[in-house]
Amino acid sequence: MAIAKAERLMNLALCLLGTRRPLSKRELRDSIEAYVEAFGPGNGASGSDDSFNRMFERDKDDLRELGLVIETVESLDGEIGYMARRDSNRLPPITLDAEEAAALGLAAKVWQQARLAGAASGALQKLRAAGLPEDVDPYGSHGALEPRIPVHEAAFEPLMLACRDRRPVAFDYRKATAAHPEQRHVEPWALECWRGHWYLAGWDRDRGAERVFRLSRITGKVRSRGGRYTADVPDVVTVRETVASWAGEVADRSARIRLRAGAGYPLRAKATSVRELGDGWDELEIPYGHGLDAWLVEFGPDVVVLEPAELRADVVDRLRAVAKG
């Protein structure tokens, strides 16, 4: 069975690499002997179509895990095709010194709690095969360091794959000020982790603008949608700046708040000054950037905004919206 699967994957990879135009599922099914033997020609029964589709999706995912860049292309008549361009799958010679290998080892350790652990380990094995010096241990150079990025949200994996494949998605999202979630249609760009929370940056089709979504507020399943992206994907730096801004990490002003003593430790960590007021309250000066109002609402009655007035008004509006449900 292992040999048969390896042969099937190799034939699929050769078909995708050898074509000059996108091939549909039906064309791939009729071109690969293993598919024809298992399911018959592309005009078979619906039951065999379903079985073939499941196997094809698994095979495609396996090839991508192995590093093959497979493009999904929609034709003018709406038919989906697949191809693997040779220029996208050609890598230059890889040379790493000891410090670069150690950095990659630390990066791989980051994902040991996530599904990416296997992919990270596999990537290091491929680098070893590509010429990574035998006397360099990517994992052992900094054994005292154990970096971890927790990934608890169920939406992380499907969104990570959607970002990789440039595939539009839909999901139900509950804003901080809303009692009930609403459906969003998004072209995902990238995932970023800020202050221990994961955020998705992408193009919101319903609002016609870029938006950032906190993964912990996504409810239910992330559903794939067909079609191409309608908006240009910015470069990585721009996406990271967008996420940082919407997560409240970019501040150009200061805000003054009252905070109940013994509460709001994340706010205290960000404060530039803290002054005891007595009666169980402290006064803090904190950086004020986009998204601060939503963050302050999470602390409920433990926070009172003193200034600026616009921030106070935004927080009050959010609290009223939550109270109304």
Side-chain angles (χ1 to χ4, degrees):
M1 292 295 292
I3 296 176
K5 179 178 180 181
E7 183 178 355
R8 187 176 73 244
L9 291 178
M10 180 173 290
N11 288 335
L12 177 58
L14 291 174
C15 279
L16 294 172
L17 287 167
T19 182
R20 294 185 178 182
R21 63 173 180 83
L23 297 176
S24 66
K25 283 185 181 181
R26 178 182 53 79
E27 291 174 312
L28 289 168
R29 176 174 174 170
D30 292 341
S31 301
I32 297 175
E33 184 178 358
Y35 290 150
V36 175
E37 290 180 352
F39 309 109
N43 58 354
S46 59
S48 65
D49 287 345
D50 293 340
S51 299
F52 163 72
N53 288 332
R54 288 193 294 270
M55 177 178 284
F56 175 74
E57 293 299 325
R58 288 196 301 268
D59 290 349
K60 184 157 55 72
D61 290 341
D62 287 342
L63 288 178
R64 281 172 168 159
E65 289 291 339
L66 292 171
L68 189 69
V69 180
I70 301 175
E71 297 183 22
T72 301
V73 182
E74 184 177 4
S75 64
L76 294 177
D77 57 2
E79 186 175 35
I80 301 298
Y82 306 90
M83 65 184 304
R85 300 182 190 276
R86 291 184 178 271
D87 54 353
S88 300
N89 288 279
R90 185 182 296 114
L91 294 176
I94 299 175
T95 57
L96 298 172
D97 58 29
E99 291 184 355
E100 291 170 333
L104 287 174
L106 286 176
K109 282 187 174 183
V110 165
W111 298 107
Q112 292 307 303
Q113 290 180 334
R115 181 182 179 272
L116 292 177
S121 299
L124 289 178
Q125 293 175 4
K126 294 172 190 175
L127 288 174
R128 180 77 74 185
L132 185 67
E134 290 294 334
D135 58 346
V136 174
D137 183 1
Y139 286 110
S141 300
H142 297 282
L145 288 175
E146 290 293 333
R148 291 289 186 270
I149 295 181
V151 179
H152 304 298
E153 294 86 354
F156 177 84
E157 182 178 333
L159 288 176
M160 176 196 70
L161 297 176
C163 290
R164 181 194 69 181
D165 300 340
R166 292 288 185 260
R167 186 174 64 249
V169 296
F171 50 78
D172 295 332
Y173 187 76
R174 179 185 56 80
K175 296 192 297 184
T177 58
H180 304 287
E182 60 180 11
Q183 189 174 85
R184 299 293 189 94
H185 298 85
V186 179
E187 298 170 13
W189 293 342
L191 291 164
E192 293 287 341
C193 186
W194 292 95
R195 291 203 303 260
H197 297 290
W198 280 98
Y199 295 86
L200 170 71
W203 183 261
D204 190 322
R205 287 182 167 180
D206 300 316
R207 288 153 183 80
E210 63 182 90
R211 288 290 186 269
V212 170
F213 306 91
R214 184 163 153 173
L215 265 61
S216 61
R217 294 187 181 135
I218 295 178
T219 62
K221 293 184 178 181
V222 175
R223 303 173 295 279
S224 297
R225 290 292 180 264
R228 297 181 180 181
Y229 277 20
T230 59
D232 293 333
V233 180
D235 57 44
V236 174
V237 175
T238 302
V239 171
R240 288 177 177 172
E241 291 174 352
T242 302
V243 174
S245 174
W246 281 83
E249 295 291 332
V250 177
D252 53 6
R253 292 167 287 175
S254 294
R256 196 162 53 90
I257 65 172
R258 289 177 60 197
L259 181 63
R260 197 182 304 276
Y265 290 103
L267 291 172
R268 295 179 186 276
K270 290 287 184 180
T272 56
S273 66
V274 179
R275 183 169 64 93
E276 293 185 9
L277 297 178
D279 296 329
W281 290 90
D282 299 327
E283 182 179 304
L284 281 68
E285 186 171 346
I286 59 177
Y288 175 21
H290 186 88
L292 180 59
D293 54 338
W295 193 30
L296 292 178
V297 167
E298 296 180 7
F299 296 93
D302 291 332
V303 169
V304 177
V305 179
L306 301 177
E307 59 181 28
E310 62 185 46
L311 176 61
R312 181 182 177 89
D314 289 341
V315 171
V316 170
D317 289 343
R318 285 180 176 271
L319 289 173
R320 285 175 176 167
V322 173
K324 291 180 180 179

